[in-house]
Amino acid sequence: MTVLGDPALQRLLATLHAKSDEQAPVIASFDARRAGGARDEDELKSFRSDKLVALDRDKAEFCYQLCRAIDARRIVEAGTSYGVSTLYLAAAVRDNVRGAGGSGIVIGTEHEPEKARAARRHFEQAGLSRFIDLREGDLRETLKQIDGPVDFMLVDIWIPMARPALALVSPHLRPGAIVVCDNTGLYRAEYADYFAFLQDPRNRFHTMTLPFNGGLEFSVFCQA
Ligand SMILES: C[S@@+](CC[C@H](N)C(=O)[O-])C[C@H]1O[C@@H](n2cnc3c(N)ncnc32)[C@H](O)[C@@H]1O
């Protein structure tokens, strides 16, 4: 018995995770070559344009479980890429709706048109499109409008975008909402502004770094 309990979706996800895993060494050697060198944003953008950089399988399954546990109905995902994590989140919404009725949506965000096109194909293939509102463009624009309380947010985005994404969504979080952010152990220093936001008492988060590979930030938006 898998966490998702959906063999067709598991097969699609297995191919996408395999593709993402294949790209990991290429990304690691690119990053090693760039380390300490001058940043060339155009080179970086072009290199990243066909990379999935999908959320690890165990982290994605954990997000699915969290969304089931809190009966998440409105989810925001900062960073959709080819849609791997989105599929887990949308499966959770589908299963919550199936279990208790009502409706639900995952708001995804992606600014690379090719990636967004591929993600939409995957959503169709999985039969999950009706649970996903993929917003194309820069999330600093596309997340300005959120209609209703947010139960869960996944932050899996280039690090400088993590804080702007959280700052836009946090006014919409309902008490008890969960925010998960990837690789906060590995890139602790780079996430300094994200942590400053989480740790500012006015923003009402309680947070801890879970020991997944690279660290996974688990933050709860509280009443007080
Ligand atoms: C780590 S990947 C997301 C992986 C995805 N969550 C998954 O599991 O498949 C981050 C994605 O965020 C996108 N991105 C980066 N900056 C963005 C921005 N300002 N607005 C929207 N998308 C952005 C990138 O193009 C990239 O595809």
Side-chain angles (χ1 to χ4, degrees):
M1 185 66 184
T2 62
V3 166
L4 291 179
D6 178 340
L9 179 56
Q10 291 282 155
R11 281 194 293 278
L12 171 60
L13 286 167
T15 62
L16 294 174
H17 278 299
K19 192 166 176 195
S20 187
D21 291 348
E22 263 170 37
Q23 292 174 338
V26 183
I27 295 172
S29 74
F30 178 85
D31 287 347
R33 267 187 284 118
R34 285 178 66 248
R39 283 173 75 93
D40 179 335
E41 290 303 326
D42 287 341
E43 186 198 8
L44 182 59
K45 192 166 186 295
S46 138
F47 175 78
R48 282 173 164 174
S49 65
D50 67 341
K51 305 294 179 298
L52 275 72
V53 208
L55 192 66
D56 293 341
R57 199 177 284 96
D58 57 349
K59 295 172 181 172
E61 287 181 346
F62 180 63
C63 289
Y64 171 89
Q65 294 282 64
L66 290 173
C67 290
R68 294 305 310 277
I70 63 170
D71 192 25
R73 298 307 179 104
R74 184 173 286 100
I75 294 175
V76 176
E77 175 187 66
T80 291
S81 189
Y82 285 65
V84 174
S85 50
T86 331
L87 291 170
Y88 286 87
L89 299 173
V93 168
R94 174 200 60 193
D95 297 343
N96 287 338
V97 167
R98 191 184 279 157
S103 61
I105 197 78
V106 179
I107 299 169
T109 55
E110 181 51 57
H111 68 171
E112 295 278 355
E114 279 302 319
K115 289 186 171 186
R117 262 193 291 281
R120 288 188 201 283
R121 281 198 302 276
H122 299 143
F123 302 158
E124 277 299 311
Q125 230 175 309
L128 288 169
S129 297
R130 69 184 186 285
F131 298 106
I132 301 166
D133 167 13
L134 178 58
R135 300 185 180 178
E136 286 185 51
D138 191 311
L139 62 79
R140 287 167 292 187
E141 288 302 318
T142 62
L143 289 183
K144 277 184 176 167
Q145 175 82 28
I146 305 224
D147 298 317
V150 172
D151 304 299
F152 184 89
M153 179 180 188
L154 172 63
V155 181
D156 187 22
I157 188 85
W158 306 153
I159 295 173
M161 284 299 119
R163 178 181 171 136
L166 182 61
L168 276 171
V169 175
S170 64
H172 304 283
L173 294 173
R174 57 108 159 143
I178 293 171
V179 180
V180 165
C181 180
D182 196 22
N183 283 329
T184 50
L186 187 59
Y187 297 111
R188 187 96 195 167
E190 291 83 348
Y191 272 116
D193 64 343
Y194 185 79
F195 277 106
F197 190 91
L198 284 179
Q199 286 160 358
D200 182 335
R202 287 170 302 181
N203 294 327
R204 297 160 50 195
F205 286 101
H206 289 234
T207 196
M208 63 192 293
T209 308
L210 300 180
F212 285 89
N213 187 28
L216 191 71
E217 201 64 23
F218 176 79
S219 312
V220 180
F221 180 73
C222 296
Q223 290 277 25

mmCIF file of all heavy atoms in Angstrom, residues 125-147:
data_model
loop_
_atom_site.group_PDB
_atom_site.id
_atom_site.type_symbol
_atom_site.label_atom_id
_atom_site.label_comp_id
_atom_site.label_asym_id
_atom_site.label_seq_id
_atom_site.Cartn_x
_atom_site.Cartn_y
_atom_site.Cartn_z
ATOM 1 N N GLN A 125 -3.020 14.242 -17.715
ATOM 2 C CA GLN A 125 -2.720 12.803 -17.698
ATOM 3 C C GLN A 125 -3.186 12.158 -16.394
ATOM 4 O O GLN A 125 -3.664 11.026 -16.391
ATOM 5 C CB GLN A 125 -1.195 12.631 -17.804
ATOM 6 C CG GLN A 125 -0.732 11.663 -18.848
ATOM 7 C CD GLN A 125 0.805 11.687 -18.909
ATOM 8 O OE1 GLN A 125 1.409 12.746 -19.025
ATOM 9 N NE2 GLN A 125 1.407 10.526 -18.814
ATOM 10 N N ALA A 126 -3.033 12.891 -15.306
ATOM 11 C CA ALA A 126 -3.397 12.347 -13.990
ATOM 12 C C ALA A 126 -4.881 12.517 -13.679
ATOM 13 O O ALA A 126 -5.356 12.033 -12.652
ATOM 14 C CB ALA A 126 -2.564 13.034 -12.908
ATOM 15 N N GLY A 127 -5.592 13.234 -14.541
ATOM 16 C CA GLY A 127 -7.010 13.495 -14.277
ATOM 17 C C GLY A 127 -7.211 14.441 -13.101
ATOM 18 O O GLY A 127 -8.253 14.398 -12.430
ATOM 19 N N LEU A 128 -6.239 15.313 -12.874
ATOM 20 C CA LEU A 128 -6.321 16.185 -11.699
ATOM 21 C C LEU A 128 -6.464 17.671 -12.048
ATOM 22 O O LEU A 128 -6.483 18.521 -11.143
ATOM 23 C CB LEU A 128 -5.065 15.983 -10.821
ATOM 24 C CG LEU A 128 -5.008 14.645 -10.077
ATOM 25 C CD1 LEU A 128 -3.615 14.415 -9.469
ATOM 26 C CD2 LEU A 128 -6.075 14.587 -8.984
ATOM 27 N N SER A 129 -6.609 17.967 -13.340
ATOM 28 C CA SER A 129 -6.636 19.391 -13.759
ATOM 29 C C SER A 129 -7.700 20.199 -13.037
ATOM 30 O O SER A 129 -7.493 21.385 -12.739
ATOM 31 C CB SER A 129 -6.895 19.497 -15.264
ATOM 32 O OG SER A 129 -5.852 18.908 -15.955
ATOM 33 N N ARG A 130 -8.840 19.585 -12.769
ATOM 34 C CA ARG A 130 -9.926 20.386 -12.174
ATOM 35 C C ARG A 130 -9.625 20.804 -10.731
ATOM 36 O O ARG A 130 -10.344 21.619 -10.156
ATOM 37 C CB ARG A 130 -11.260 19.635 -12.266
ATOM 38 C CG ARG A 130 -11.388 18.402 -11.400
ATOM 39 C CD ARG A 130 -12.737 17.726 -11.686
ATOM 40 N NE ARG A 130 -13.021 16.610 -10.819
ATOM 41 C CZ ARG A 130 -12.446 15.409 -10.928
ATOM 42 N NH1 ARG A 130 -11.527 15.190 -11.845
ATOM 43 N NH2 ARG A 130 -12.779 14.434 -10.103
ATOM 44 N N PHE A 131 -8.577 20.240 -10.159
ATOM 45 C CA PHE A 131 -8.207 20.633 -8.789
ATOM 46 C C PHE A 131 -7.026 21.610 -8.773
ATOM 47 O O PHE A 131 -6.469 21.886 -7.710
ATOM 48 C CB PHE A 131 -7.854 19.388 -7.958
ATOM 49 C CG PHE A 131 -9.011 18.435 -7.807
ATOM 50 C CD1 PHE A 131 -9.042 17.240 -8.503
ATOM 51 C CD2 PHE A 131 -10.089 18.772 -6.991
ATOM 52 C CE1 PHE A 131 -10.113 16.361 -8.376
ATOM 53 C CE2 PHE A 131 -11.164 17.906 -6.853
ATOM 54 C CZ PHE A 131 -11.184 16.702 -7.544
ATOM 55 N N ILE A 132 -6.614 22.074 -9.962
ATOM 56 C CA ILE A 132 -5.399 22.904 -10.031
ATOM 57 C C ILE A 132 -5.660 24.197 -10.803
ATOM 58 O O ILE A 132 -6.182 24.170 -11.913
ATOM 59 C CB ILE A 132 -4.239 22.115 -10.705
ATOM 60 C CG1 ILE A 132 -3.939 20.837 -9.913
ATOM 61 C CG2 ILE A 132 -2.991 22.996 -10.799
ATOM 62 C CD1 ILE A 132 -3.076 19.831 -10.643
ATOM 63 N N ASP A 133 -5.271 25.301 -10.191
ATOM 64 C CA ASP A 133 -5.320 26.613 -10.839
ATOM 65 C C ASP A 133 -3.862 27.041 -11.015
ATOM 66 O O ASP A 133 -3.260 27.578 -10.080
ATOM 67 C CB ASP A 133 -6.099 27.572 -9.915
ATOM 68 C CG ASP A 133 -5.966 29.041 -10.306
ATOM 69 O OD1 ASP A 133 -5.489 29.329 -11.422
ATOM 70 O OD2 ASP A 133 -6.352 29.897 -9.480
ATOM 71 N N LEU A 134 -3.298 26.729 -12.184
ATOM 72 C CA LEU A 134 -1.882 27.055 -12.403
ATOM 73 C C LEU A 134 -1.788 28.489 -12.904
ATOM 74 O O LEU A 134 -2.307 28.823 -13.973
ATOM 75 C CB LEU A 134 -1.244 26.091 -13.413
ATOM 76 C CG LEU A 134 0.226 26.387 -13.739
ATOM 77 C CD1 LEU A 134 1.109 26.378 -12.494
ATOM 78 C CD2 LEU A 134 0.757 25.384 -14.770
ATOM 79 N N ARG A 135 -1.091 29.312 -12.135
ATOM 80 C CA ARG A 135 -0.968 30.727 -12.493
ATOM 81 C C ARG A 135 0.404 30.963 -13.100
ATOM 82 O O ARG A 135 1.419 30.774 -12.435
ATOM 83 C CB ARG A 135 -1.190 31.594 -11.256
ATOM 84 C CG ARG A 135 -2.578 31.362 -10.668
ATOM 85 C CD ARG A 135 -2.868 32.297 -9.533
ATOM 86 N NE ARG A 135 -4.204 32.045 -9.003
ATOM 87 C CZ ARG A 135 -4.718 32.702 -7.975
ATOM 88 N NH1 ARG A 135 -4.023 33.645 -7.360
ATOM 89 N NH2 ARG A 135 -5.942 32.422 -7.565
ATOM 90 N N GLU A 136 0.392 31.360 -14.356
ATOM 91 C CA GLU A 136 1.664 31.558 -15.075
ATOM 92 C C GLU A 136 2.137 32.989 -14.929
ATOM 93 O O GLU A 136 1.344 33.916 -15.053
ATOM 94 C CB GLU A 136 1.480 31.220 -16.552
ATOM 95 C CG GLU A 136 1.394 29.738 -16.782
ATOM 96 C CD GLU A 136 1.340 29.382 -18.257
ATOM 97 O OE1 GLU A 136 2.200 29.865 -19.020
ATOM 98 O OE2 GLU A 136 0.429 28.632 -18.633
ATOM 99 N N GLY A 137 3.447 33.145 -14.710
ATOM 100 C CA GLY A 137 4.036 34.468 -14.567
ATOM 101 C C GLY A 137 4.792 34.535 -13.253
ATOM 102 O O GLY A 137 4.935 33.528 -12.550
ATOM 103 N N ASP A 138 5.275 35.735 -12.943
ATOM 104 C CA ASP A 138 6.041 35.920 -11.715
ATOM 105 C C ASP A 138 5.087 35.871 -10.517
ATOM 106 O O ASP A 138 4.093 36.597 -10.484
ATOM 107 C CB ASP A 138 6.755 37.275 -11.772
ATOM 108 C CG ASP A 138 7.774 37.415 -10.667
ATOM 109 O OD1 ASP A 138 7.435 37.133 -9.487
ATOM 110 O OD2 ASP A 138 8.916 37.784 -10.965
ATOM 111 N N LEU A 139 5.427 35.038 -9.558
ATOM 112 C CA LEU A 139 4.511 34.859 -8.411
ATOM 113 C C LEU A 139 4.269 36.150 -7.652
ATOM 114 O O LEU A 139 3.257 36.285 -6.958
ATOM 115 C CB LEU A 139 5.003 33.755 -7.481
ATOM 116 C CG LEU A 139 6.351 33.905 -6.764
ATOM 117 C CD1 LEU A 139 6.260 34.801 -5.548
ATOM 118 C CD2 LEU A 139 6.836 32.538 -6.346
ATOM 119 N N ARG A 140 5.192 37.121 -7.784
ATOM 120 C CA ARG A 140 4.966 38.389 -7.079
ATOM 121 C C ARG A 140 3.753 39.122 -7.645
ATOM 122 O O ARG A 140 3.197 39.992 -7.015
ATOM 123 C CB ARG A 140 6.231 39.261 -7.153
ATOM 124 C CG ARG A 140 7.349 38.717 -6.241
ATOM 125 C CD ARG A 140 8.665 39.361 -6.527
ATOM 126 N NE ARG A 140 9.174 38.969 -7.836
ATOM 127 C CZ ARG A 140 10.381 39.285 -8.302
ATOM 128 N NH1 ARG A 140 11.211 39.998 -7.558
ATOM 129 N NH2 ARG A 140 10.764 38.877 -9.494
ATOM 130 N N GLU A 141 3.348 38.729 -8.855
ATOM 131 C CA GLU A 141 2.098 39.241 -9.426
ATOM 132 C C GLU A 141 0.969 38.225 -9.257
ATOM 133 O O GLU A 141 -0.130 38.566 -8.839
ATOM 134 C CB GLU A 141 2.284 39.524 -10.937
ATOM 135 C CG GLU A 141 3.144 40.734 -11.226
ATOM 136 C CD GLU A 141 2.588 42.006 -10.584
ATOM 137 O OE1 GLU A 141 1.365 42.203 -10.633
ATOM 138 O OE2 GLU A 141 3.378 42.798 -10.023
ATOM 139 N N THR A 142 1.281 36.950 -9.583
ATOM 140 C CA THR A 142 0.192 35.961 -9.679
ATOM 141 C C THR A 142 -0.392 35.588 -8.312
ATOM 142 O O THR A 142 -1.493 35.051 -8.246
ATOM 143 C CB THR A 142 0.664 34.684 -10.399
ATOM 144 O OG1 THR A 142 1.724 34.086 -9.638
ATOM 145 C CG2 THR A 142 1.143 34.974 -11.813
ATOM 146 N N LEU A 143 0.346 35.832 -7.237
ATOM 147 C CA LEU A 143 -0.189 35.485 -5.905
ATOM 148 C C LEU A 143 -0.795 36.688 -5.188
ATOM 149 O O LEU A 143 -1.124 36.603 -4.005
ATOM 150 C CB LEU A 143 0.902 34.842 -5.043
ATOM 151 C CG LEU A 143 1.327 33.424 -5.464
ATOM 152 C CD1 LEU A 143 2.366 32.860 -4.491
ATOM 153 C CD2 LEU A 143 0.132 32.470 -5.552
ATOM 154 N N LYS A 144 -0.971 37.785 -5.922
ATOM 155 C CA LYS A 144 -1.555 38.971 -5.277
ATOM 156 C C LYS A 144 -3.020 38.735 -4.937
ATOM 157 O O LYS A 144 -3.539 39.315 -3.993
ATOM 158 C CB LYS A 144 -1.433 40.188 -6.197
ATOM 159 C CG LYS A 144 -0.061 40.858 -6.093
ATOM 160 C CD LYS A 144 -0.004 42.106 -6.931
ATOM 161 C CE LYS A 144 1.328 42.811 -6.735
ATOM 162 N NZ LYS A 144 1.537 43.841 -7.761
ATOM 163 N N GLN A 145 -3.674 37.899 -5.747
ATOM 164 C CA GLN A 145 -5.108 37.659 -5.539
ATOM 165 C C GLN A 145 -5.319 36.238 -5.017
ATOM 166 O O GLN A 145 -5.021 35.258 -5.719
ATOM 167 C CB GLN A 145 -5.821 37.838 -6.887
ATOM 168 C CG GLN A 145 -7.295 37.512 -6.885
ATOM 169 C CD GLN A 145 -8.128 38.675 -6.369
ATOM 170 O OE1 GLN A 145 -7.727 39.837 -6.493
ATOM 171 N NE2 GLN A 145 -9.263 38.373 -5.775
ATOM 172 N N ILE A 146 -5.808 36.107 -3.785
ATOM 173 C CA ILE A 146 -6.146 34.790 -3.230
ATOM 174 C C ILE A 146 -7.541 34.915 -2.620
ATOM 175 O O ILE A 146 -7.750 35.739 -1.731
ATOM 176 C CB ILE A 146 -5.133 34.361 -2.148
ATOM 177 C CG1 ILE A 146 -3.734 34.417 -2.749
ATOM 178 C CG2 ILE A 146 -5.503 32.994 -1.558
ATOM 179 C CD1 ILE A 146 -2.798 33.352 -2.510
ATOM 180 N N ASP A 147 -8.462 34.103 -3.124
ATOM 181 C CA ASP A 147 -9.856 34.271 -2.713
ATOM 182 C C ASP A 147 -10.246 33.250 -1.658
ATOM 183 O O ASP A 147 -10.832 32.226 -1.992
ATOM 184 C CB ASP A 147 -10.784 34.125 -3.930
ATOM 185 C CG ASP A 147 -10.514 35.202 -4.964
ATOM 186 O OD1 ASP A 147 -10.344 36.358 -4.566
ATOM 187 O OD2 ASP A 147 -10.445 34.869 -6.168
#
